[in-house]
Amino acid sequence: MSPPVDPVESDPSLPARVDVVVIGGGIIGVSTVLALAEKGISAALCEKGRIGGEQSSRNWGWCRTMGRDPREIPLSIEAQRIWRGLDRRLGIDTGYRQSGIVYLCEGPADIARHEAWLEHAKLYQLDSRMLGTAEVDAVLPGSARRWPAGLYTASDGRAEPQRAAPAIARAARERGAAILTGCAVRGLDRQGGRIAGVVTEKGRIACDSVVLAGGAWSRLFCGNVGFDLPQMKVLGSVLRTQPLEGLPETAAAASDFAFRKRADGGYTISQRAAVSDITPDSFRLFLDFLPNLRATWSDLRLRVGGRFLEEWRIPRHWGMEEASPFEAVRVLDPVPSRALLDGARANLTRAFPGFAAMQVAQEWGGLIDVTPDVVPVISAVERIPGLHIATGFSGHGFGIGPGAGRLMADLVANDTPIVDPTPFRHDRFRRSAA
């Protein structure tokens, strides 16, 4: 069941021409179109369903630098800087609060892993630090467990996923961008070897550049234009509670639960584990994902079910005059994992008994776009001049979104990039480089 997302009305008609078309209305797409508009570049965002309808409204709402892959740290620092001033600068309400995040340590292995990550944090003068048992109790009161340690970053924050992408989209419109919902892009119009426009279900938009920020749909779109992007989907499961009093303001995660306070006084609750349904792409991409599977996805649970046949039936190629798969399914709304949510609720209640009073208001699932190394692609595609891709955020996209959108806009505009984009190039993958 989809969480309630703030609505964004579509522009009534397509622009005949813009400089850039952004495909996808999640946090990455709206952040990109906003950054382009603020640069004075004309842009249109095309979303097949509704703004923020998929994973961008279904995530935990964490805005963190802590625990990032070292390649992501510079971009996450810039994203945090943007988050902190975003509401005031744009006159919007994303629900952002700088409330801190703790990774709870359950034993020596956790402590060693987090202490090793702190060596990367020191290079950037981050305020991340290890807490002792008493300090954990002070930051996270009400625990029934004596945690040996915790990795804590006071400057990390939280925002409201159901508000943020819509608010940013409306701000982009106020700055001149076109925002089109219920408007799937079927494909690219290429002339002389480079992009000359896009063909949508509602007509053609002429443009010089395209940014694909399609989340879980990106691999399918890329395949139809002749680009083999190694990307899979995994299922995250989340619940939200009715308002609760007297519980921690700081967000936290252990091995088997995670929580953060919401602006409405309730809590978003989940756990790190995710489900990967076996699909045809599981076999096509097996060798791409195998090298990092154990180290990166130790909490991944494989499942065989109806998803295999569902994806087998999805066309992998279609013409501009044909209805695309994006028109057949406007919003991915998967059923959450009952086992994972029941486990998260039980584990959290044992650790923090105050949560025993929780009343579950809603549960939902979301499909997370992941790459083999769990680092996103933010890159031009040289073999298709004019095409750029921002996808594969691997569950990190909401918090890093404003920074990723700014970096993508810098690359499109050929401006000095906000951070070094080299770690995010698509051709680091064997399949994409071939």
Side-chain angles (χ1 to χ4, degrees):
M1 181 179 178
S2 173
V5 183
D6 289 356
V8 177
E9 294 294 324
S10 178
D11 286 9
S13 60
L14 273 64
R17 178 176 180 81
V18 293
D19 296 324
V20 185
V21 171
V22 177
I23 303 172
I27 191 70
I28 308 301
V30 299
S31 296
T32 299
V33 80
L34 172 64
L36 289 167
E38 290 187 318
K39 289 176 179 287
I41 297 171
S42 65
L45 183 146
C46 295
E47 163 55 45
K48 61 180 173 45
R50 59 180 181 265
I51 300 297
E54 296 183 336
Q55 185 58 19
S56 290
S57 63
R58 298 163 188 256
N59 60 81
W60 298 2
W62 287 18
C63 302
R64 66 178 172 88
T65 296
M66 186 175 72
R68 294 277 184 181
D69 184 289
R71 291 167 288 183
E72 288 185 329
I73 291 175
L75 187 57
S76 68
I77 292 171
E78 293 300 327
Q80 287 283 59
R81 180 185 60 78
I82 295 171
W83 273 118
R84 290 178 191 126
L86 194 65
D87 287 10
R88 182 178 63 256
R89 178 167 64 85
L90 301 181
I92 61 176
D93 179 14
T94 65
Y96 178 80
R97 300 290 184 274
Q98 188 174 307
S99 53
I101 297 175
V102 178
Y103 284 160
L104 293 164
C105 298
E106 300 176 43
D110 288 341
I111 295 172
R113 184 175 70 255
H114 293 320
E115 287 181 338
W117 182 84
L118 279 174
E119 294 303 309
H120 300 291
K122 290 175 184 177
L123 298 175
Y124 299 96
Q125 292 81 51
L126 300 180
D127 64 328
S128 303
R129 63 188 181 94
M130 294 298 293
L131 303 179
T133 298
E135 291 176 298
V136 171
D137 289 343
V139 173
L140 297 173
S143 176
R145 292 180 60 174
R146 297 286 288 171
W147 303 95
L151 178 62
Y152 175 52
T153 304
S155 61
D156 280 350
R158 65 183 194 237
E160 296 303 317
Q162 290 89 46
R163 291 184 194 171
I168 294 170
R170 288 192 290 268
R173 174 184 280 149
E174 290 172 0
R175 287 152 180 80
I179 305 295
L180 304 157
T181 61
C183 183
V185 174
R186 292 177 173 175
L188 306 177
D189 179 15
R190 285 181 269 184
Q191 298 177 14
R194 68 166 297 118
I195 287 176
V198 299
V199 177
T200 80
E201 63 180 294
K202 297 180 178 179
R204 181 179 182 273
I205 304 175
C207 64
D208 299 315
S209 300
V210 170
V211 174
L212 174 63
W217 295 95
S218 295
R219 173 169 165 78
L220 184 62
F221 186 94
C222 285
N224 193 52
V225 300
F227 178 66
D228 195 359
L229 176 71
Q231 178 179 290
M232 296 282 288
K233 300 185 283 289
V234 300
L235 172 68
S237 300
V238 184
L239 67 82
R240 66 179 177 93
T241 75
Q242 299 288 5
L244 288 163
E245 294 184 357
L247 292 170
E249 294 284 333
T250 299
S255 65
D256 53 7
F257 67 81
F259 65 84
R260 67 104 180 161
K261 191 170 185 179
R262 301 168 57 89
D264 61 12
Y267 281 78
T268 293
I269 296 170
S270 186
Q271 60 173 306
R272 294 180 182 178
V275 173
S276 178
D277 286 293
I278 301 298
T279 68
D281 272 347
S282 302
F283 298 95
R284 298 180 187 119
L285 298 174
F286 178 76
L287 293 179
D288 299 88
F289 279 78
L290 181 62
N292 294 319
L293 191 60
R294 178 172 294 182
T296 304
W297 290 107
S298 58
D299 294 323
L300 195 64
R301 303 185 183 183
L302 299 180
R303 182 174 69 180
V304 179
R307 188 75 190 171
F308 186 97
L309 288 178
E310 288 177 25
E311 296 214 1
W312 183 266
R313 295 188 183 108
I314 296 174
R316 299 179 68 198
H317 300 283
W318 57 91
M320 300 284 198
E321 71 287 348
E322 300 176 71
S324 67
F326 318 119
E327 295 153 69
V329 179
R330 297 288 179 178
V331 177
L332 287 169
D333 191 21
V335 176
S337 167
R338 172 86 276 124
L340 289 182
L341 289 182
D342 287 348
R345 184 175 179 178
N347 299 333
L348 175 57
T349 299
R350 279 194 295 270
F352 289 86
F355 281 98
M358 77 172 75
Q359 296 182 357
V360 177
Q362 191 180 18
E363 301 172 345
W364 61 79
L367 289 178
I368 301 167
D369 46 314
V370 302
T371 62
D373 61 3
V374 202
V375 170
V377 172
I378 309 172
S379 175
V381 179
E382 289 78 5
R383 74 183 70 174
I384 306 177
L387 177 62
H388 299 73
I389 297 178
T391 192
F393 283 82
S394 305
H396 312 162
F398 182 75
I400 211 170
R406 169 65 188 277
L407 175 59
M408 188 79 269
D410 289 344
L411 296 178
V412 173
N414 201 28
D415 290 341
T416 300
I418 191 172
V419 299
D420 179 8
T422 304
F424 310 115
R425 287 184 59 85
H426 72 84
D427 55 12
R428 70 184 189 271
F429 300 123
R430 174 186 57 81
R431 181 175 297 268
S432 293

